[in-house]
Amino acid sequence: MTGESALPGERDGDGAEPAPAPEVLALAKVVAKLRAEVSTLEGAASTTAVVERAAGALMAREGLSAEEAYETLLQRATRRGRTLLEECWITLGQVRSRTAPPPQAPAQTGPPSQEALSAFSTDRYLTGTGRSGGHRTILARLADGLAGAGNPHEIAELLRTVLGDAVGVDGVMIYAVGPAGSLKLAGHAGIDPALAEQWQHVPPLSGVAALEAIGGGRALWLEDPARDATRYHLIGDPPERWPTRAWLPVPGDRPVTAAVGFLRTRPDPFDTGTRSLLRRAVRLCADSLRFIGRSGAPGTRGEAETVQRILDAMSGTAVLLTPLRSETGEVQDYRIDAAAPGSVDVAGRRGKELVGRHVLETYPTVAGTALWEGYLDTLTTGTTYEGEPFVYEEVSVGVPRKSTYSVRATRLGDRLVVSWIRHDSQERESRRLEDMQRLGNLGWAGWNLATNTIAWSDQVYTIFDRDPALGPMPLDELPLHLVPEDLPVLGAAVELLLVEGTAIDQAFRITTADGVRHLRIVAEAQKDADGTPVEVHGFFQDLTALRDAELALRESERAVLVERGMLQAERALAARLQNALLPIPEQSMELAGLRIDVAYVPSESGVNVGGDWYSAIELPDSSALFVVGDVAGHGLDAVATMAQLRFTTKGMTITGSALPDVLSRLNTLLLHTAPDNHGATATVIMGVYRPEDRRLTWARAGHLPPLLIRGGAARFLPLPEGCLLGATFDSVYVQESLDLEPGDHLVLYTDGLVEEPGEDIGVGLARLAESARRLLEAGGSPALARTLAARRQDHRDDICVLDIHVPD
């Protein structure tokens, strides 16, 4: 918890550090400029030397002149996409990747090694006392030898001698960072002089393991020559001379400036114990190797580094403060030069992240308080300051919280060591933690690899459906509960966490009495001084409800896709049927002395085909039949009903039946086929035209009135009686007559041409009449139906229009 270890004394308010004097700033700029110039000159000198050496090598090997050798280097660099400096380094060192078949491992004769154990074997990760005792003896020998080692070569020889028998180290190489990011071989042992000369200078190229270890600040374990050769430039001729090798950065001040390489002729991988021993050995040599790179000479921060090493071993909160004085000797601020890992400020900076920061920068309101005066008194008199407990208010996640602290300050030379304790109860924090775990369905867990003790919160027992009386589940038991398919993935994550100490976030499944549960583990490792994981902590979270919701959503999406596919298939089939049953002529047609224009436009919304239809045919007595209908609904049912009505209307009219009788029979047809057509209804308007007297006899069943445009005026014909088809057996239908005149336009249509959602039908009819009148005035008579249909936009229903025109 941040609040448990934050340095007290910070309060809201602004604090400013006194600005440096102008002459100080000017001097700092001059120093920075001179340093940059020196660095540039060093890089240029190094580059020139490398180019001259590479050119000389070409001259001796290929008999070239100096100018030819330089041009050859330039050409090769250009052709291979390298810089000139890279090409020179490669020419000098003859650095190249080689591939070799993986060495055959000897048969296992003794007990299984750490690497041979299961990924879920507890014994594989425990830091046992027996092995540690053996390591202490080896490290003691190394420590005794370091007292007499005066240079990196002697340190390399010491490492090879001490570690050779213990873990099979055959060669040691110590590299330091040189100018322009290159590497210099500072010391070696067990390496041929010719090979050492070849690898004396290594350019800042990708694929150099030592450089990657230094840059990344992490150990590299190269245990498969065939695989490693595809990524790294392997040292050796041939490189499979050392099947396994390790590169470890030298710990210390950042940035890392040196790395130690251990080369072995053993083909077996580095087990956990060997890795731990090598890390401890490099850390033991760190003080002797830390300054062989470009970090400068030792001694400037020796005391602070000593204190830092002490604080690193502390579990509490403490910092080392160095006073910053003005020209008059007055303390203006304090700089944090060392910090224990448990020290955290309100901003969340922890441990060494605080080093280098000023107290007034991090805690600006501490100046002038009793705490500040106590610091000054301790610094002046050497008397230990132990302040009375005081209440300090901090803001965490926007919520103010009061805590009680006690602070202790002790003088160390001309510095202060400050520590503090928080006194207030943790009951509220524990309650909040329990609520968070319950609401998030997650629980924390920890495993101490030194004592093999496991701790679970109550919620973890609930997540694993485990009786708390059984205690936490050991790692060996976990595979018994895992879904088999998840064993390899979780095993790889466990190895990454417990061997390399890399944090993980992995999902997996377990089986319980209630079925399969989807869980998630998020964990990180706490390492000891040599980088070996010694404790693991994290949390388990039950994601079953979330996964069930995701599966339900996925099934719903799948069902929607299936339904959409079925609807689209139905629409395609209905459209094909409609096109076959209801062909739409592309041009106007002549019928009984009339010019007929037909338009059909499907709806622009939905995925179903509608039931709008028309008929325009010549009867046996040379008269003509005109019909426009609209079946309620969409899809195959509507198309089928439309086909029934269309063909029945044609058949009955051809036999000479009167229009009211035809409508009555259509109404009876729909009523008697109700179970098959799901109670379909329809509207129809139909008329028979006799050309000898230009008389149109018409009737309708619930349909909208025809529109007559005559002499520049448009009007709707009065509606005769006639209920929609399929509504009731008692429907009565009446026919009317109309004498058409030359120049008349009689428009029959479906409701899709006039209806708008939320609009009165009368408004749509008036709009249709006015549009048709204006079109005819503008000379649009040859394609009136198609023009009216095309002018409708965003229509939600099908449109069918039939224009009957009497030529002049």
Side-chain angles (χ1 to χ4, degrees), residues 418-751:
V418 178
S419 60
W420 58 94
I421 300 175
R422 180 178 177 180
H423 298 289
D424 55 325
S425 172
Q426 302 301 310
E427 179 180 353
R428 180 174 57 182
E429 301 302 328
S430 299
R431 186 170 61 252
R432 287 179 177 177
L433 180 60
E434 292 175 359
D435 292 341
M436 179 189 69
Q437 293 182 84
R438 176 177 51 82
L439 294 174
N441 204 2
L442 56 85
W444 63 263
W447 183 21
N448 189 311
L449 302 180
T451 61
N452 194 23
T453 55
I454 301 174
W456 277 9
S457 68
D458 294 340
Q459 191 65 27
V460 181
Y461 291 97
T462 302
I463 291 173
F464 278 89
D465 193 20
R466 184 177 178 87
D467 185 355
L470 298 175
M473 183 188 304
L475 184 64
D476 311 71
E477 185 182 335
L478 184 58
L480 301 178
H481 303 274
L482 281 174
V483 173
E485 291 84 350
D486 292 348
L487 271 170
V489 177
L490 185 60
V494 168
E495 287 189 276
L496 192 66
L497 173 67
L498 299 178
V499 176
E500 297 295 337
T502 304
I504 63 170
D505 184 345
Q506 182 64 48
F508 62 98
R509 294 167 294 172
I510 63 171
T511 55
T512 67
D514 297 330
V516 175
R517 290 187 180 178
H518 295 261
L519 305 186
R520 172 195 182 200
I521 179 175
V522 178
E524 63 181 5
Q526 182 176 348
K527 305 176 184 179
D528 61 9
D530 64 5
T532 301
V534 293
E535 187 174 351
V536 176
H537 54 268
F539 66 83
F540 292 98
Q541 185 175 17
D542 189 348
L543 304 176
T544 305
L546 178 61
R547 292 292 183 267
D548 290 344
E550 291 177 352
L551 289 176
L553 178 60
R554 191 175 302 134
E555 290 298 325
S556 176
E557 291 176 347
R558 185 180 293 111
V560 169
L561 290 175
V562 171
E563 183 177 357
R564 179 180 298 175
M566 294 176 61
L567 291 174
Q568 289 176 342
E570 181 180 338
R571 177 182 174 87
L573 177 58
R576 292 179 63 184
L577 288 174
Q578 189 180 55
N579 291 335
L581 298 172
L582 194 67
I584 306 299
E586 296 181 358
Q587 297 179 349
S588 299
M589 56 183 178
E590 300 292 334
L591 188 63
L594 302 175
R595 186 167 65 240
I596 311 302
D597 182 31
V598 181
Y600 179 84
V601 181
S603 65
E604 295 185 356
S605 62
V607 296
N608 287 316
V609 176
D612 291 18
W613 59 283
Y614 83 97
S615 280
I617 62 172
E618 186 174 345
L619 299 176
D621 59 358
S622 299
S623 59
L625 172 66
F626 303 103
V627 187
V628 170
D630 185 0
V631 177
H634 293 80
L636 289 175
D637 291 337
V639 174
T641 302
M642 177 268 288
Q644 283 184 312
L645 296 179
R646 188 167 184 264
F647 289 120
T648 302
T649 300
K650 285 184 178 181
M652 293 187 64
T653 306
I654 288 175
T655 60
S657 299
L659 297 184
D661 293 339
V662 174
L663 293 177
S664 296
R665 295 292 180 86
L666 295 178
N667 181 59
T668 303
L669 174 66
L670 290 187
L671 290 171
H672 280 289
T673 58
D676 296 330
N677 59 27
H678 305 287
T681 59
T683 65
V684 174
I685 186 168
M686 57 192 309
V688 174
Y689 175 75
R690 295 197 307 267
E692 59 270 15
D693 55 5
R694 294 180 180 172
R695 170 156 291 198
L696 178 72
T697 302
W698 65 284
R700 64 113 191 182
H703 206 81
L704 294 173
L707 175 63
L708 176 65
I709 302 100
R710 175 180 292 173
R715 65 184 179 89
F716 293 98
L717 300 183
L719 291 174
E721 184 178 357
C723 182
L724 80 164
L725 304 178
T728 174
F729 284 101
D730 300 329
S731 297
V732 176
Y733 302 96
V734 178
Q735 70 179 17
E736 295 287 345
S737 297
L738 173 67
D739 292 332
L740 296 180
E741 300 177 0
D744 284 354
H745 283 266
L746 185 66
V747 181
L748 309 180
Y749 53 92
T750 56
D751 55 7

Side-chain angles (χ1 to χ4, degrees), residues 35-312:
R35 285 179 176 173
E37 291 178 354
V38 169
S39 178
T40 302
L41 290 174
E42 289 178 347
S46 300
T47 301
T48 302
V50 171
V51 173
E52 290 179 352
R53 290 179 60 195
L58 279 183
M59 292 169 63
R61 188 172 60 193
E62 301 182 15
L64 303 177
S65 65
E67 293 78 7
E68 291 173 341
Y70 181 76
E71 290 297 328
T72 300
L73 289 171
L74 280 178
Q75 293 173 3
R76 291 179 180 177
T78 302
R79 184 172 63 253
R80 297 168 182 172
R82 302 181 180 128
T83 65
L84 177 60
L85 186 60
E86 290 175 342
E87 185 64 34
C88 291
W89 278 117
I90 292 174
T91 301
L92 285 173
Q94 297 179 345
V95 180
R96 58 188 182 276
S97 297
R98 299 186 180 184
T99 58
Q104 298 295 323
Q108 184 73 39
T109 56
S113 66
Q114 293 288 326
E115 297 295 331
L117 295 176
S118 163
F120 295 95
S121 174
T122 297
D123 293 337
R124 182 179 181 187
Y125 307 110
L126 296 179
T127 56
T129 56
R131 184 176 62 204
S132 297
H135 287 182
R136 281 195 291 270
T137 302
I138 297 172
L139 295 174
R141 289 179 55 198
L142 184 59
D144 291 340
L146 284 173
N151 57 61
H153 286 288
E154 294 178 357
I155 295 175
E157 183 61 39
L158 177 65
L159 288 170
R160 187 189 68 83
T161 301
V162 173
L163 299 176
D165 295 334
V167 292
V169 171
D170 302 291
V172 176
M173 303 181 76
I174 301 176
Y175 273 107
V177 177
S182 62
L183 293 181
K184 178 182 179 181
L185 185 60
H188 63 86
I191 307 298
D192 300 335
L195 186 63
E197 177 62 24
Q198 178 182 341
W199 288 85
Q200 181 69 29
H201 295 278
V202 179
L205 300 173
S206 60
V208 177
L211 196 59
E212 184 173 322
I214 292 174
R218 64 183 183 90
L220 296 179
W221 310 97
L222 309 185
E223 301 165 330
D224 186 341
R227 180 188 62 191
D228 297 332
T230 63
R231 181 176 179 182
Y232 299 105
H233 301 295
L234 298 183
I235 296 174
D237 191 8
E240 55 268 22
R241 171 184 175 184
W242 294 297
T244 57
R245 56 192 77 198
W247 290 97
L248 283 73
V250 176
D253 291 341
R254 294 290 180 175
V256 176
T257 59
V260 180
F262 297 99
L263 313 179
R264 303 195 311 174
T265 56
R266 289 187 183 183
D268 51 304
F270 296 91
D271 60 32
T272 305
T274 301
R275 293 187 179 191
S276 175
L277 177 60
L278 295 182
R279 285 192 177 103
R280 290 173 183 266
V282 173
R283 178 169 290 276
L284 190 61
C285 300
D287 285 338
S288 302
L289 297 176
R290 187 176 304 163
F291 302 103
I292 63 174
R294 58 187 177 189
S295 56
T300 57
R301 283 177 43 84
E303 184 177 281
E305 292 171 355
T306 302
V307 174
Q308 181 64 67
R309 284 196 291 272
I310 296 173
L311 294 183
D312 284 340

